[in-house]
Amino acid sequence: DIQETREMRGEEHEFLDSLLTELPVQSKEEQDAISATPVHSAGLYALYASFLAGNLVEQIWNFACPAAIALLHPSLLPVAVVGFIAKLGIFAGGPLVGSLMDSYPRVPAFNCLSIVQTAAQLISAGMIIYALDRVTLAAASATSLLLQPLLLQPWFVVLVLAGAIERLTGLASGVAFERDWVVLLAGTNRPIALARANAMLNRVDLLCEVVGASIFGILLSMLDPVKCLKLAAASMVCALPVQILLVCLTDKLSKGVLERSRNHTSSELCQPGRLTERVLGAISHGWVQYKTQPVLPASLAYVLLCFNAVLGPGGLMTSFLTNRGLNPSIIGAFSGMCAFMGIAATFMSASLVKKLGLLKAGAAGLVFQALLLGIAVAVYWSGFIVQQKALIFFLFLIVLSRLGQMSYDIVGGQILQSAIPASQANLIGATEVSMASLAEELVMLGVAIIGNDVSHFGFLALLSMAAVAGAAWIYCQWLSNPTKEQRQLFSFDPHFSSLSSNQQLGTIDIIS
């Protein structure tokens, strides 16, 4: 019996040895092919279509709303008040909405938020149409609506509240697309496929921004504002069922992966009794989770980039260039080139991730942007900016820097997608946007108090460049001193693989 037992064990060892020797090993080309293949390819295409349907209407409204409000009053105060309250609502309610999104099934929660967002847009459009009709009647009766306190009128209060709700629900749906759903469909452990999916979503977002503003601008030049707003409202009503159907199709093509609910800890928010305490607790929980996330430095770098409100296309840069007497066609070309660089970055980011790895790609984008903006600020402070050639070179450096900023916008999002568990994706994503909203608010207040004169532009540009340089420094420090948890989360990244190989070689040298 002992002899038979030994023979059986010997045969078992031989069988196991044969299994180990015949275990297939994938080549680097096969690993790259798997890394570039999404888990649910058909579901991703349906997701792109749904994102396009919803985002195009949202971008049209983002351009239509301030353009229509500007027709009501010669001051920038009404537009500033609507924008400020919307940012404040995002900052205060972002963690709460993210917590709710993480607590209920994805598809029903998204559909409810889409319906609320469309209703808020329609209410806002109705209030602006009502105000435009009043302006017309006031002009016909030779009275002035501008003499009345605009900010205290009931329709304007409703407009401000509806705008805040629309922005908050739009934040939740955007985070669901860009931080949660795309990860489930592309695959967390498939970095190349995820990078390509993130690039596609950003590409769609930028194209919708350009097309939406162009469509409404053309309509506004051909028709009166009331008819344009009615057409925009009709597009909202038509796009809502299309988006809902495409979301359901995405879930069906991905075999129901979007329907799976996560934790239900926040479902108590809908129960009666001590509602305020529970809401404040949910918001506090969101900030705690955000501060304790393993990739906090990468997220803070993204927030710091939001302080760069000067060295880029926008109202401040347009005002500065206009005061410098630059040709309007050159100003328009500058904004167009910045948008083109954003689209080019969506193609470049996936290649950077493939060649450098996810973490080094983020560092490359931040360092590239910081260096170019540093040169641009040096050109400005050198005094040669009074010459048109130097001014064009200054703008050219800013246009190139957009490559780095948009690349990190994509790569930074993927870093959070790879490190944050699915149960907290919406919560932390919404809280991060809240932090960015706070940064934008502080910049707006600072510009209103300090930068109300063109002579202060150089000081504001210096602050913007410093914020970008600080973001690059924080990220590179985090990358050069990784923790054990970060090594485990990004074990697939070549950066940590090379570090591990060097440490193993060092250990062998010490032993020898």
Side-chain angles (χ1 to χ4, degrees), residues 276-487:
T276 303
E277 180 180 349
R278 290 169 181 170
V279 168
L280 293 177
I283 295 175
S284 175
H285 175 69
W287 288 108
V288 170
Q289 291 297 321
Y290 177 78
K291 290 189 297 183
T292 56
Q293 61 170 308
V295 290
L296 180 61
S299 179
L300 291 178
Y302 168 77
V303 172
L304 277 175
L305 293 181
C306 295
F307 282 94
N308 181 21
V310 176
L311 298 177
L316 292 174
M317 179 61 74
T318 301
S319 177
F320 167 73
L321 297 177
T322 303
N323 280 276
R324 285 286 182 179
L326 201 63
N327 194 303
S329 61
I330 298 179
I331 300 176
F334 166 72
S335 300
M337 288 299 295
C338 286
F340 174 76
M341 285 298 172
I343 296 174
T346 62
F347 292 95
M348 186 182 70
S349 60
S351 301
L352 279 176
V353 171
K354 186 175 181 179
K355 293 180 180 179
L356 302 178
L358 181 63
L359 300 178
K360 286 186 177 180
L366 286 173
V367 172
F368 181 77
Q369 183 188 7
L371 286 176
L372 287 179
L373 291 185
I375 298 173
V377 171
V379 170
Y380 180 88
W381 281 98
S382 65
F384 294 106
I385 200 71
V386 293
Q387 303 176 4
Q388 186 167 358
K389 290 184 178 180
L391 183 59
I392 297 298
F393 181 64
F394 170 75
L395 297 178
F396 176 73
L397 291 172
I398 295 176
V399 168
L400 280 183
S401 72
R402 301 291 291 179
L403 276 175
Q405 178 172 348
M406 295 306 298
S407 295
Y408 184 76
D409 186 52
I410 299 172
V411 173
Q414 186 173 347
I415 290 174
L416 265 73
Q417 291 167 346
S418 303
I420 296 173
S423 60
Q424 300 175 357
N426 289 287
L427 174 62
I428 293 179
T431 307
E432 181 188 58
V433 177
S434 299
M435 288 283 292
S437 177
L438 177 63
E440 292 177 3
E441 287 177 20
L442 291 176
V443 169
M444 290 171 60
L445 289 174
V447 168
I449 296 173
I450 303 174
N452 50 19
D453 193 274
V454 181
S455 61
H456 296 143
F457 182 84
F459 175 71
L460 295 173
L462 186 62
L463 289 179
S464 293
M465 186 273 296
V468 176
W473 181 81
I474 289 175
Y475 185 88
C476 291
Q477 284 290 113
W478 171 70
L479 190 61
S480 60
N481 299 295
T483 63
K484 184 178 180 181
E485 184 180 10
Q486 292 163 7
R487 292 177 185 274

